């Protein structure tokens, strides 16, 4: 993925987030095919994005920060029809916290949403380092993740993810990559003309974490299903 292009996209949306304004409140106007496409796009935009390398933090370690992801929507006309306005990219700013646990386990939580809309989101991950990594060896880990949409009365939506990732540190830089699967469950509330959609989406991500003492920067590109996302996080990692 073109990381430079991703940084530009994330930077532009970081300064323009307040411009987005509209609620998803017209799902009853969608056909079943429309609803399927909306669920695919939401699955890509709202599924869990790691924004952290695979190497375990250790029992005393923390990683905390503010982040924003920007997902290129494949069916912006459907999103507009559902009431969310005419947007080709969906920005999701979030607050994030990761904590190292014993036995090479890490746990992470996040809360976020789409500014100016009724879209709210929370989620988390549990990651186990199969190989913790070292001077010569990369870290290899498996992650289970979950996100839940709130705020949209017409929609009960959540995602579950499973991925395998790898990272290797070089001085202050730690590139990482992962591949996995996302399962999205999308149920319309009180709309008898629409049926539940259960989707299985492929996922691949690449990123780099840069640590400057306590200050930490992470940049990531993600492709879930047919939609591409770019993300950035600024915070502290120790």
């Amino acid at each position: 993925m073109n990381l430079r292009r991703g940084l530009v996209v994330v930077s532009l949306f970081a300064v323009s987030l307040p411009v987005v304004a509209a609620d998803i409140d017209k799902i009853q106007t969608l056909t079943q095919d429309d609803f399927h496409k909306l669920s695919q796009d939401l699955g890509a935009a709202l599924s869990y994005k790691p924004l952290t390398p695979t190497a375990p933090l250790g029992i005393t370690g923390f990683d905390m920060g503010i982040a924003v992801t920007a997902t290129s929507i494949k069916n912006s006309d459907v999103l507009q029809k559902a009431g969310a306005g005419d947007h080709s990219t969906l920005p999701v700013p979030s607050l994030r916290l990761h904590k190292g646990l014993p036995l090479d386990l890490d746990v992470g939580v996040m809360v976020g949403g789409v500014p100016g809309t009724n879209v709210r989101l929370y989620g988390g991950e549990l990651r186990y380092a199969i190989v913790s990594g070292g001077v010569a060896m990369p870290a290899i880990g498996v992650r289970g993740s979950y996100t839940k949409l709130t705020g949209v009365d017409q929609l009960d939506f959540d995602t579950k993810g499973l991925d395998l990732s790898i990272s290797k540190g070089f001085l202050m830089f730690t590139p990482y990559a992962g591949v996995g699967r996302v399962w999205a469950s999308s149920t319309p509330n009180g709309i008898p003309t629409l049926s539940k959609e259960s989707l299985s989406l492929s996922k691949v991500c690449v990123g780099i974490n840069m640590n400057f003492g306590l200050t930490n920067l992470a940049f990531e590109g993600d492709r879930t299903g047919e939609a591409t996302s770019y993300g950035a996080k600024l915070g502290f990692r120790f």
Side-chain angles (χ1 to χ4, degrees):
M1 295 183 184
N2 190 324
L3 186 57
R4 181 177 297 178
R5 179 187 173 195
L7 301 186
V8 171
V9 170
V10 169
S11 299
L12 288 174
F13 273 92
V15 299
S16 63
L17 295 181
V19 175
V20 181
D23 287 345
I24 296 179
D25 57 5
K26 296 179 176 62
I27 293 178
Q28 73 277 5
T29 66
L30 303 182
T31 66
Q32 189 65 42
D33 184 60
D34 288 338
F35 186 63
H36 177 81
K37 292 175 180 177
L38 176 68
S39 300
Q40 283 184 316
D41 281 336
L42 291 180
L46 304 183
S47 58
Y48 192 84
K49 310 297 189 296
L51 287 165
T52 187
T54 306
L57 287 164
I59 192 170
T60 61
F62 282 91
D63 184 329
M64 61 191 76
I66 56 174
V68 61
T69 61
T71 302
S72 180
I73 299 301
K74 300 297 290 185
N75 304 283
S76 58
D77 57 328
V78 175
L79 189 65
Q80 182 177 13
K81 188 176 178 181
D86 185 12
H87 306 293
S88 60
T89 304
L90 205 61
V92 183
S94 60
L95 298 173
R96 293 168 175 264
L97 172 65
H98 289 83
K99 175 69 180 73
L101 301 175
L103 304 176
D104 290 332
L105 290 168
D106 282 12
V107 63
V109 294
M110 60 81 69
V111 292
V114 179
T117 76
N118 57 349
V119 175
R120 300 292 178 265
L121 179 71
Y122 67 85
E125 68 160 276
L126 181 64
R127 186 174 72 254
Y128 170 60
I130 303 169
V131 179
S132 58
V135 175
M137 288 289 295
I140 301 173
V142 60
R143 175 191 355 260
S145 62
Y146 175 81
T147 63
K148 174 69 175 179
L149 170 69
T150 65
V152 180
D153 294 338
Q154 293 185 327
L155 186 60
D156 185 5
F157 185 91
D158 64 66
T159 74
K160 301 174 182 68
L162 184 66
D163 66 75
L164 184 69
S165 64
I166 185 170
S167 71
K168 179 68 177 74
F170 302 93
L171 299 176
M172 65 187 69
F173 304 103
T174 305
Y176 62 91
V179 61
R181 205 80 185 168
V182 171
W183 295 271
S185 175
S186 183
T187 304
N189 290 328
I191 306 174
T193 57
L194 297 177
S195 301
K196 177 180 178 179
E197 292 283 347
S198 298
L199 307 175
S200 179
L201 307 171
S202 60
K203 174 185 177 68
V204 61
C205 69
V206 295
I208 186 167
N209 190 84
M210 297 175 285
N211 193 266
F212 307 95
L214 289 180
T215 303
N216 195 78
L217 286 168
F219 299 105
E220 183 176 294
D222 175 283
R223 187 167 181 86
T224 298
E226 297 182 357
T228 300
S229 304
Y230 294 103
K233 183 180 71 174
L234 171 65
F236 305 95
R237 182 181 177 92
F238 55 90

